[in-house]
Amino acid sequence: RGEWMQRLRDRVLPPLRAFNPDLLIISAGFDAANHDVGNQGVNRQGHRLAGVNLQAEDYEEMTAHLCAVATSCGARVVSVLEGGYG
């Protein structure tokens, strides 16, 4: 979880700022959230693997970072909630 957030700050945000977008579209899926069925994997032996286990505050932080980049670029933000599992 911490590594995920650190990589967002180190590897996603700097190039996004450099790109200087006019529009930022956030496709908001929550598969990496703690307790989401999509958050777990299964290895070849059938054992469950640990997921990313993001918390609500992690999604808030990611959104705040992305909105801050958009603001600094004068960009508009569109956030779209993705569908579920059926």
Side-chain angles (χ1 to χ4, degrees):
R1 172 177 167 219
E3 183 178 343
W4 177 281
M5 297 303 293
Q6 190 63 47
R7 290 197 179 193
L8 172 80
R9 289 186 293 270
D10 294 345
R11 295 186 180 182
V12 175
L13 299 175
L16 183 59
R17 276 190 203 93
F19 181 69
N20 195 29
D22 295 322
L23 175 67
L24 183 60
I25 301 173
I26 301 171
S27 181
F30 296 94
D31 292 4
N34 192 28
H35 302 299
D36 189 281
V37 68
N39 185 35
Q40 299 177 349
V42 178
N43 67 13
R44 292 180 188 201
Q45 290 77 34
H47 298 108
R48 291 250 178 227
L49 303 173
V52 179
N53 298 320
L54 295 178
Q55 305 294 317
E57 58 268 18
D58 298 321
Y59 287 100
E60 287 180 49
E61 182 181 339
M62 285 188 281
T63 302
H65 283 305
L66 293 169
C67 288
V69 168
T71 298
S72 71
C73 296
R76 293 184 178 246
V77 177
V78 174
S79 183
V80 180
L81 179 62
E82 293 182 8
Y85 297 104

